[in-house]
Amino acid sequence: MAEELPARDRGAQEVEISLPFTGRWLVENSPARRVPSHGTDLFGERYAIDFVGVDDRHRTAGTRDWRTLLATEPPERFVAFGRPVLAPGDGTVVHVHDAEPDHEARRSQLALVPYALGQAGRLRRGAGAVAGNHVVVHLIESGTFVLLAHLQLDSVRVSPGQEVLDGQQIARCGNSGNSTQPHVHLQVMDGADPFVARGVPMTFRHFREWPARTGQPQVRGRGMPGEGAVVEPVAAPR
C-alpha cells in the first residue's frame, strides 16, 4: 500500500473528506504517487487529485474509432460527462464560476500537441481558463477550502454564501478549462483563492479501491487511493 504522504510531508495535518461522487472513478495524479501531485506547487495544487469516471468494466469511454486516434472527440462520449459532483463535506460556498464552455476531448496524441502549446495562453487568461467552471467550499470542520474544477457548463446548483452538506449535489462533471477529457479535479487549500493559496494534504473516508497492480477490491475506512486505482464510495459502518 502506498504511503499516505511522502516522507518530507509527514506531520502535515490531513483534512478528511468524502469522495465527491457516486459510482466508480479512475484515479489520476494521486498525491500517493508523488508530491506535488500535478508537478507544481502553484495554484494550491500540491496535493490535488483527478478522478475520471469509468463504467463497470473500468472504461472511461465506450467508443473508440478514428477520432480517438487522430482527432478530438465530443465530451458526451465519456462516462464522466454529466455525472453528479457532490460536496465532499459540510461547508459554505465561497466562490462559483460557471461560464466556460465544455470543449472537445483529446485522447489522440495528434490532438494533444496543439492543446499543450496553448497552455501558456490559458494561464494568462486566468482561473476560468485553467479550472474551468468550478466551486470553492469553505469546510466547517477543518476551516480549509476545497476546490472542485472542470465542471459542466450551466450545471452548478449552488451560489456564494449557501450552506451545503456532505454528499449534496453541487454540479455535474464537465470538460471545461484546462482539461483533455471529462474529469473532476479536487484540491484542498488554506485559502479561497487558488492563485495565492497553498495546498493542504487530504485523506478520503469510506471507499472501495481496486488497486492498479492487483485489481482486487478492498474497502478502506480512510486513506488516499493509489495512482491508477479505481474507487467508489461506500456507506460508513454502523
Side-chain angles (χ1 to χ4, degrees):
M1 182 181 298
E3 291 181 308
E4 301 304 333
L5 287 174
R8 65 182 178 277
D9 289 343
R10 287 183 203 149
Q13 184 64 44
E14 291 179 323
V15 173
E16 184 175 302
I17 56 176
S18 300
L19 290 169
F21 44 68
T22 59
R24 298 182 186 183
W25 296 69
L26 171 68
V27 175
E28 294 187 347
N29 297 313
S30 170
R33 175 184 63 134
R34 67 172 184 177
V35 173
S37 60
H38 283 58
T40 179
D41 280 324
L42 297 175
F43 314 123
E45 289 192 317
R46 182 169 179 79
Y47 304 99
I49 189 168
D50 293 327
F51 297 102
V52 184
V54 297
D55 61 17
D56 288 345
R57 295 169 60 185
H58 297 179
R59 300 176 301 174
T60 61
T63 300
R64 295 184 68 89
D65 58 16
W66 68 270
R67 297 188 66 171
T68 308
L69 299 175
L70 301 174
T72 61
E73 302 174 85
E76 292 83 4
R77 282 189 172 190
F78 292 82
V79 173
F81 191 72
R83 275 189 173 182
V85 176
L86 314 179
D90 298 344
T92 303
V93 177
V94 295
H95 180 71
V96 167
H97 182 79
D98 190 10
E100 306 297 324
D102 292 292
H103 52 71
E104 293 283 281
R106 293 164 171 82
R107 284 186 283 180
S108 161
Q109 292 301 313
L110 290 175
L112 284 169
V113 170
Y115 186 79
L117 294 175
Q119 180 77 341
R122 287 188 291 275
L123 290 173
R124 286 193 295 270
R125 292 198 300 274
V130 177
N133 304 313
H134 58 280
V135 173
V136 178
V137 177
H138 187 202
L139 297 172
I140 294 173
E141 185 174 355
S142 64
T144 56
F145 299 81
V146 60
L147 178 146
L148 298 130
H150 309 307
L151 306 174
Q152 186 178 17
L153 177 63
D154 294 331
S155 75
V156 176
R157 295 186 173 191
V158 294
S159 56
Q162 180 177 341
E163 294 183 359
V164 294
L165 298 176
D166 189 350
Q168 177 180 336
Q169 183 174 341
I170 60 174
R172 292 187 178 274
C173 177
N175 198 43
S176 59
N178 189 31
S179 173
T180 56
Q181 74 177 68
H183 74 286
V184 174
H185 172 102
L186 182 151
Q187 63 191 52
V188 178
M189 311 173 292
D190 64 0
D193 183 352
F195 279 86
V196 297
R198 293 177 298 178
V200 174
M202 59 191 159
T203 187
F204 295 100
R205 50 183 167 245
H206 308 308
F207 61 93
R208 181 177 289 107
E209 177 179 0
W210 288 262
R213 292 182 179 178
T214 68
Q216 297 300 313
Q218 55 182 289
V219 174
R220 303 182 65 183
R222 186 178 187 272
M224 175 59 66
E227 182 73 10
V230 170
V231 295
E232 66 177 0
V234 297
R238 295 183 177 180

